[in-house]
Amino acid sequence: MPFPAGGPTDGMARIISDRLGAVLGQNIVVENRGGGAGGSIGAKFVATSDPDGYTILITPGGSLTTGPAVHSNIGYDPVKAFVPVGQLIDTPQVMVVHRDLPVKTLAELVAYAKANPGKISWGSQGFGTAPHLLAELFKLDAGVNIVHVPYRGTAPMLAAIVAGEVQMVADPMTTVLPHIQSGKLRPLAITSATRSPKLPDVPTVIEAGYPKLQAPFWLGVVAPAGTPPDIIDKLNAAFRESLARPETRARLDTLGAEIKIGTPAEFEKLLADELAKWTAVVKAANIKVE
């Protein structure tokens, strides 16, 4: 797990691993190795591990797509260093603003940002994370001047927007929903193709007129390159069986996470598409690592 314990990704990984151990008849150890661009320290550790199926990486896009798109010297080639096992879940990201910002729709936000260039700050979970690149894509697509403020993870970023240090963030439903329900944050749009039953009144970015901003948060598993195909298939089947259990599905559903287990080939295509998309955004936005 390329992120610290206690965060949203870690929480979902532990729910999934609880059942996985029983399916495989093995003790599953969730080892947190946080740090680096989008979680690259943990990814690098797995990339250099023995390809025997006993060390695998459970991660969102950061270490496999957005991080490598931003950091050319990340220390591994995400395409050559890993073999996909499968996507596990996805959950919509929600574009939210602090309740004091006088906007209620994405269109009003764009108008406000154009009238107040440089006045809106967008907090992210860190440089090279998916929400950071979504902010850059929003700036390009809407033609607005907003300021990106990176934090060291989800918890400090959410604390910052609740306190009004930044005016806007995009965050997975799994962690931002309680702050929306408490009224501290106002949702403007869901970054998915369909509305969420958890927030039925919040339009999608497509409905709001910005279809390019589709960027759901997902969690998937990869193994070190060279892992035999029969082991990959066995792991994929084990995750599929783990996620089929009603109790596991119910625990993930309370977080707003939707089971989306697919084949290794389907996950490979998703990774390739996202790496191409975010690499193009980095180039268009002329993002340079300082």
Side-chain angles (χ1 to χ4, degrees):
M1 162 57 51
F3 293 98
T9 315
D10 178 69
M12 286 185 281
R14 289 176 189 278
I15 289 171
I16 294 164
S17 70
D18 280 352
R19 183 62 196 152
L20 183 68
V23 171
L24 287 171
Q26 296 278 344
N27 284 329
I28 307 291
V29 178
V30 178
E31 188 171 339
N32 298 91
R33 286 181 178 253
S40 60
I41 288 175
K44 200 182 298 185
F45 171 75
V46 174
T48 54
S49 296
D50 290 336
D52 57 8
Y54 284 93
T55 305
I56 55 179
L57 179 72
I58 183 166
T59 183
S63 61
L64 300 175
T65 58
T66 56
V70 171
H71 296 264
S72 57
N73 62 342
I74 201 163
Y76 56 88
D77 180 331
V79 179
K80 293 178 181 173
F82 303 105
V83 57
V85 173
Q87 183 184 354
L88 303 182
I89 60 164
D90 77 9
T91 182
Q93 292 196 88
V94 192
M95 297 174 72
V96 297
V97 294
H98 188 270
R99 63 184 173 191
D100 291 344
L101 199 71
V103 301
K104 290 188 175 157
T105 65
L106 210 49
E108 288 179 7
L109 175 73
V110 170
Y112 184 89
K114 287 183 174 176
N116 300 274
K119 294 280 180 70
I120 291 181
S121 52
W122 176 314
S124 83
Q125 294 87 335
F127 198 88
T129 58
H132 165 214
L133 295 194
L134 184 63
E136 300 295 343
L137 182 56
F138 176 62
K139 285 159 69 173
L140 290 169
D141 200 29
V144 292
N145 173 10
I146 58 175
V147 179
H148 171 238
V149 182
Y151 289 87
R152 289 181 177 273
T154 299
M157 178 202 74
L158 287 174
I161 188 168
V162 168
E165 288 174 24
V166 292
Q167 289 75 51
M168 177 179 187
V169 302
D171 193 54
M173 179 85 71
T174 47
T175 38
V176 78
L177 192 59
H179 300 291
I180 294 171
Q181 291 168 333
S182 71
K184 291 172 183 170
L185 303 181
R186 181 182 302 124
L188 300 185
I190 302 274
T191 68
S192 296
T194 55
R195 291 195 183 200
S196 167
K198 295 263 191 296
L199 293 169
D201 298 330
V202 180
T204 67
V205 286
I206 300 170
E207 292 171 308
Y210 292 91
K212 289 180 185 173
L213 299 182
Q214 290 181 76
F217 172 92
W218 52 260
L219 204 55
V221 174
V222 294
T227 303
D230 60 324
I231 291 179
I232 296 296
D233 291 342
K234 182 174 181 177
L235 286 169
N236 182 279
F239 277 107
R240 194 178 292 272
E241 188 179 334
S242 302
L243 291 169
R245 194 172 173 86
E247 299 97 292
T248 305
R249 297 180 88 91
R251 286 173 71 190
L252 289 168
D253 182 64
T254 59
L255 297 173
E258 184 181 336
I259 308 292
K260 200 156 189 178
I261 181 86
T263 65
E266 287 167 342
F267 190 37
E268 186 173 26
K269 183 179 186 308
L270 172 73
L271 291 173
D273 290 349
E274 289 220 347
L275 185 59
K277 172 182 176 175
W278 297 122
T279 300
V281 169
V282 168
K283 188 175 180 183
N286 196 27
I287 298 170
K288 294 281 193 285
V289 180
E290 295 170 4

